Amino acid sequence: MEKIKMVQYGCGKMSKYTIGYALEKGVELVGAFDIDKSKFGKDVSVVLETSKPVGVKIQDANELEKFLEEHEVDVAIVTTTSLFSENYPIYETFAKAGVNVISTCEEAFYAQNSSPVLAAKLDEIAKENGCTICGSGYQDVFWGNLISVLAGATHKITTIRGKSSYNVEDYGISLAKVHGAGLTVEEFQKEIASVDEISDEERAKLIQDGNYAPSYMWNVNGWLCSKLGLHVKRQTQKTTPQIATEDIYSSTLDMTIKKGDCTGMSAIVTTETEEGTTIISECIGKVYRKDEFDCNDWTIEGEPSTRVVIERPATAELTCASVINRIVEVLVAEPGYTTTDQMPENIYKSHNLDEYIEYVDIFDEACRCGEHDHCHCDDECDCGDDCHCGEHHGHCHEHCNCNHDEEE
């Protein structure tokens, strides 16, 4: 395969890592877009903080549709805001052009349980145009697959408890504002906490109408339930402010957060399932004091119980490495809005990413070619498969030598 051609959408703090990691893994950057006029026309080397030009200039996001009509693009990395509805027009533009997308948008990780109408609409458009849209990042590994792998060594699970903290300074102004950083306690209660002070029926209507603003763990719990085969009976969310114990300067907000005001928030999501397993997960995002650091702490309670604690994870870098490592899986995944619970665990890619596309079909099913519509074995195939080589219509492809019964 030729080099994978990538577009970066959103040239803020996270793109320093997504672009840098992609280039190091042999991906060809063919375009970069942003809405910040001060960045237009500048080489993406300004994002990478290097003096060596990359040869790709940051363009106005309004030029994206025209660009996609004129250029071949395999995958787009979207690093913008956290809400699915805010990013939907971006996803739709790429999907209509048949371009695969991986987004760091936290809600995109599993938008089926917070914005089902838009998720279904995007799924339909992506399928029509033969591309895959998904969300990935830190949660893909540390809040998702890490937990599901540990669950695979557990006989019975009663409760899954998770707690993860991160410094909003590392991610840009949009994320900091979503967490209420810089607000007074009164402003926090009005603008953020009030969304949780509603009945289950009111929340369900907001979700159906696409007006619900979930915390990050809302979608993580939905992802975990899907991955573990659990069925949600009830899910609730509670957000509380994190209060500054001293004046703290935020470079992202370009302001000093006064003692007694909000540095961010904690959001706890509780999910009760029909199987009896309860998932209680908490994310804490705030502007850190000098003595604070990231931490990821999960416990699976049951038979047996297991706890894993990861201190000082490089959350921003891990987010971006997870996204770039996901490119291979997304390029070969089923078309549609296909969340990563439907994909294999994210794995380390030691070579250039295009090399994996050449010989790895991670969705193969027990020597059945991985093909759902017809067998695509070549003349050398001698697999001896007794299930029609993946053929669901009762006959093998004319060129397949799989030794299947000739009458079929």
Side-chain angles (χ1 to χ4, degrees), residues 8 10-17 19-20 23 29 32-34 36-59:
Q8 172 71 41
C11 296
K13 288 187 175 182
M14 302 295 279
S15 66
K16 172 184 177 180
Y17 302 112
I19 293 175
L23 292 176
L29 182 71
F33 295 84
D34 203 275
D36 184 350
K37 293 181 180 180
S38 68
K39 298 176 181 178
F40 297 169
K42 294 182 179 179
D43 190 271
V44 294
S45 57
V46 301
V47 173
L48 298 176
E49 298 177 358
T50 177
S51 59
K52 183 180 179 180
V54 175
V56 176
K57 293 182 178 180
I58 300 172
Q59 301 181 56

Side-chain angles (χ1 to χ4, degrees), residues 9 39-41 58 60 75 96 137 148 155 160 170 189 209 226 250 266 269 271 294 322 344 371 373 378 399:
Y9 189 101
K39 298 176 181 178
F40 297 169
I58 300 172
D60 185 342
V75 64
K96 287 183 176 179
S148 66
H155 171 65
I160 297 175
D170 296 335
Q189 295 297 334
D209 293 342
S226 176
S250 167
S266 160
V269 176
T271 305
D294 290 4
S322 298
E371 180 59 57
D373 297 320
D378 58 26
H399 296 301

Side-chain angles (χ1 to χ4, degrees), residues 294-318:
D294 290 4
C295 187
N296 194 54
D297 186 341
W298 287 80
T299 300
I300 295 178
E301 299 177 358
E303 175 54 41
S305 295
T306 304
R307 184 185 182 193
V308 59
V309 180
I310 302 172
E311 291 190 347
R312 303 181 188 276
T315 309
E317 293 92 328
L318 290 166

Side-chain angles (χ1 to χ4, degrees), residues 252-274:
T252 297
L253 296 173
D254 191 22
M255 65 175 288
T256 297
I257 300 173
K258 299 297 184 182
K259 179 180 178 180
D261 286 346
C262 303
T263 59
M265 76 172 185
S266 160
I268 299 176
V269 176
T270 302
T271 305
E272 303 169 22
T273 70
E274 295 178 4

Side-chain angles (χ1 to χ4, degrees), residues 184-258:
T184 65
V185 174
E186 292 75 17
E187 289 171 336
F188 184 94
Q189 295 297 334
K190 180 180 179 181
E191 297 180 24
I192 296 180
S194 61
V195 72
D196 300 322
E197 298 170 358
I198 56 177
S199 66
D200 290 354
E201 292 74 21
E202 290 172 314
R203 180 181 290 107
K205 188 177 188 309
L206 285 175
I207 290 173
Q208 191 61 33
D209 293 342
N211 296 321
Y212 189 59
S215 70
Y216 298 165
M217 289 304 185
W218 184 273
N219 305 102
V220 169
N221 282 20
W223 189 100
L224 282 171
C225 285
S226 176
K227 185 75 171 181
L228 299 177
L230 302 172
H231 299 83
V232 178
K233 183 167 62 176
R234 184 171 186 256
Q235 185 160 294
T236 58
Q237 175 177 290
K238 179 66 175 177
T239 56
T240 55
Q242 301 294 291
I243 308 300
T245 56
E246 59 188 51
D247 289 358
I248 301 176
Y249 177 73
S250 167
S251 59
T252 297
L253 296 173
D254 191 22
M255 65 175 288
T256 297
I257 300 173
K258 299 297 184 182

